[in-house]
């Protein structure tokens, strides 16, 4: 640069000055210069160049490539609400080089979650994140039609008989946890001092203990040691927003993920081989491996050991953060709302209290007769659905229905092939046009006959009626309510709808009831904020709950 300057028209004074500027300073100046030019060009492109009338409006952003990554990443829900105000129900934002079109409201959810897999593909959107963690040949590393069959196999294992067996196991694990975990044993069970526990940390531990005791099987439960925890943590470290945005980076966390995946796959395959050889003296009639053993694909082929092992890993990961985030948010709300806590305790006493003190075990069939327990979980999932963004990749140009958004009365938007589309269960669930006081945690809105249920309750009514009377579809894993237009979709909708919902209710219901029977909770610091920097929305630390043992427990 300086030699060019010297040989041309630079005045002598500038030439002299340049000689004294170190090379690094010129490089830094050049670097920032390029950035400024890129920002200016990007802004001009958005403000001055004519827009393609068939493309949905693009969210204004300064930095090319980075786009709106920071606003979206820090608080996606606020970002969506703000964009909706400015651009309407359908808009595109730039997320680290990807174009992501958000479609909000029931019609937006219907277009994305109800879309055909050859038009909007979950596999193409997620496989780079999930396959290195779950392993090959399952979930998003196989054709959609194979995934639908795999979901059917898992649903077969998630049956009423198994749920009946799980209830007592979960209660047992929860009670054991409360009598052995250092956070709970620090306060002697006979004194009534207040202790504290980190809600998310404790619920994460309890979730893996209960899931392994039930779904994952006795061998997994008996091997929940340091090695398993390390492998799990390394796998989990490969399941982050960074991995979603950058499929492969030369970072130690990516290498640890790959090593842990191989070890975890071997671990499950060893269990399968050992069972086949008659090894293991465990009772495993009710676990998922036993269910997978009985299944065959439509062409008559049995699942391979690798497929079984990788389905088990997928289930472990799919249920862990979703359930632990939900149980910690639920406990936090209960601790923060003494009236609901007391009513919940009384519901337990009424149904299960024994004359001499103590409680009888809650059975699977009892769950449907506990409206408040059901409502606190539902309401928590409304306000804190663990997955705020459900994504698909657009495989063919996707016309946006005119009734959802259109540039003019005669035209319509088309989302081009190669874009991503995004549906957000969180936005519909917090929409003031659908829910009364949406930011208030009010489980009674779900309970017909209660004061909160009277009046404007369209959200809960619509959600309930959709579950009970809505259209039912079989995508290949049994009849499910389509639910793509429901304002309440914490478990998603359409062909990729969660199959773990009933298990989650068994697990969450049993954990919450067992804890409420034994403990009084309070939350001196108030509700924590959302942490959106993880794959699943978890409470930001500090999220400690104070507890003391009930005098009657
Ligand atoms: C799918 C939420 C627990 C297994 C989903 C989806 C959501 C979700 C929103 C749809 C994803 C999409 O459309 O992109 C939840 C919540 C849970 C929970 C809120 C607990 C509170 C579980 C559990 C399991 C599980 C316990 C396993 C036992 C699955 C599977 C899918 C799924 C296999 C299907 C993925 C697909 O078809 O693409 N879940 N989940 N989930 N979930 Fe869950």
């Amino acid at each position: 640069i300086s030699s060019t300057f010297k040989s041309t028209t630079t005045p002598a004074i500038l030439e002299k000055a340049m000689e004294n500027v170190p090379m690094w300073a010129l490089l830094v100046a050049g670097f920032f210069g390029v950035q400024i030019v890129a920002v200016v060009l990007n802004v001009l492109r958005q403000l001055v160049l004519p827009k393609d009338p068939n493309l949905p409006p693009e969210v204004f952003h300064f930095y090319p490539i980075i786009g709106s990554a920071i606003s979206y990443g820090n608080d996606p829900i606020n970002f969506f609400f703000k964009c909706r105000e400015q651009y309407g129900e359908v808009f595109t934002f730039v997320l680290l080089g990807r174009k992501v079109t958000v479609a909000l409201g029931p019609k937006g959810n219907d277009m994305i979650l109800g879309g055909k897999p050859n038009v909007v593909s979950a596999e193409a959107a997620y496989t780079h994140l999930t396959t290195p963690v779950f392993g090959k040949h399952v979930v998003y590393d196989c054709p959609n039609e194979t995934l639908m069959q795999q979901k059917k196999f898992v649903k077969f294992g998630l049956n009423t008989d198994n749920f009946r067996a799980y209830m007592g196991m979960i209660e047992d694990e929860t009670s054991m946890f409360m009598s052995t975990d250092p956070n709970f044993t620090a306060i002697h069970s006979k004194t009534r001092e207040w202790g504290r526990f980190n809600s998310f940390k404790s619920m994460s531990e309890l979730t893996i203990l209960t899931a392994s005791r039930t779904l994952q099987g006795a061998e997994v439960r008996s091997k929940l040691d340091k090695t398993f925890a390390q492998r799990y943590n390394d796998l989990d470290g490969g399941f982050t927003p960074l991995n979603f945005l950058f499929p492969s980076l030369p970072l130690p966390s990516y290498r640890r993920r790959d090593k842990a995946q191989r070890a975890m796959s071997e671990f499950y395959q060893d269990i399968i081989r050992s069972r086949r050889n008659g090894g293991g003296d465990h009772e495993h009639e009710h676990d998922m491996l036993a269910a997978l053993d009985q299944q065959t694909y439509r062409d008559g082929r049995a699942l391979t050991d690798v497929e079984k092992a990788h389905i088990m890993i997928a289930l472990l990961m799919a249920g862990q953060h979703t359930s632990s985030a939900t149980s910690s948010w639920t406990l936090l709300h209960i601790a923060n709302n003494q009236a609901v806590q007391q009513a919940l305790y009384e519901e337990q006493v009424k149904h299960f209290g024994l004359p001499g003190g103590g409680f009888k075990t809650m059975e699977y069939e009892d769950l449907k007769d506990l409206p408040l327990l059901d409502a606190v979980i539902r309401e928590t999932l409304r306000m804190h659905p663990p997955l705020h963004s459900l994504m698909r990749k657009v495989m063919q140009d996707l016309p946006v229905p005119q009734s959802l958004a259109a540039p003019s009365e005669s035209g319509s938007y088309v989302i081009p092939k190669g874009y991503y589309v995004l549906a957000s269960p969180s936005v519909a669930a917090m929409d003031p046009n659908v829910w009364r006081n949406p930011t208030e945690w009010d489980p009674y809105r779900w309970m017909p006959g209660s004061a909160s249920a009277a009046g404007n309750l369209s959200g809960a009514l619509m959600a309930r009626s959709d579950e009970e009377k809505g259209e039912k579809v079989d995508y290949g894993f049994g009849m499910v309510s389509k639910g793509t237009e429901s304002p309440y979709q914490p478990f998603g909708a359409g062909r990729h709808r969660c199959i773990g919902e009933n298990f989650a209710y068994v697990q969450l219901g049993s954990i919450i009831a067992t804890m409420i029977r034994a403990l009084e909770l309070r939350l001196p610091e108030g509700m924590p904020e959302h942490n959106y920097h993880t794959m699943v929305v978890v409470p930001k630390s500090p999220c400690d709950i104070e507890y003391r043992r009930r005098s009657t427990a």
Side-chain angles (χ1 to χ4, degrees), residues 517-530:
R517 286 171 176 194
L519 308 175
E520 285 171 57
L521 308 174
R522 68 181 187 191
L523 199 63
E525 281 107 27
M527 288 300 288
E529 287 178 17
H530 292 93

Side-chain angles (χ1 to χ4, degrees), residues 76-88 91 104:
I77 312 310
N78 191 24
F79 172 71
F80 293 149
F81 272 111
K82 277 196 170 146
C83 290
R84 183 165 82 168
E85 238 174 77
Q86 201 173 341
Y87 305 101
F91 50 87
L104 299 172

Side-chain angles (χ1 to χ4, degrees), residues 434-490:
V434 179
W435 308 86
R436 187 180 44 193
N437 304 332
T439 53
E440 200 178 300
W441 184 77
D442 178 7
Y444 293 100
R445 71 172 84 233
W446 294 97
M447 293 171 66
S450 68
S452 300
N456 162 24
L457 186 67
S458 46
L461 277 184
M462 277 155 74
R464 282 254 194 244
S465 95
D466 193 74
E467 280 164 30
E468 283 153 22
K469 295 182 234 137
E471 188 187 345
K472 300 274 185 296
V473 187
D474 185 353
Y475 296 101
F477 55 95
M479 280 292 181
V480 287
S481 79
K482 190 168 174 236
T484 47
E485 291 201 29
S486 168
Y488 181 73
Q489 299 174 325

Side-chain angles (χ1 to χ4, degrees), residues 126 140 151 215 318-319 322 326 386-387 392 490-492 496 498-500:
Y126 296 145
Y140 304 123
K151 287 176 80 168
L215 271 191
T322 45
T326 308
L387 304 176
R392 306 286 183 260
F491 293 97
H496 291 284
C498 185
I499 41 170

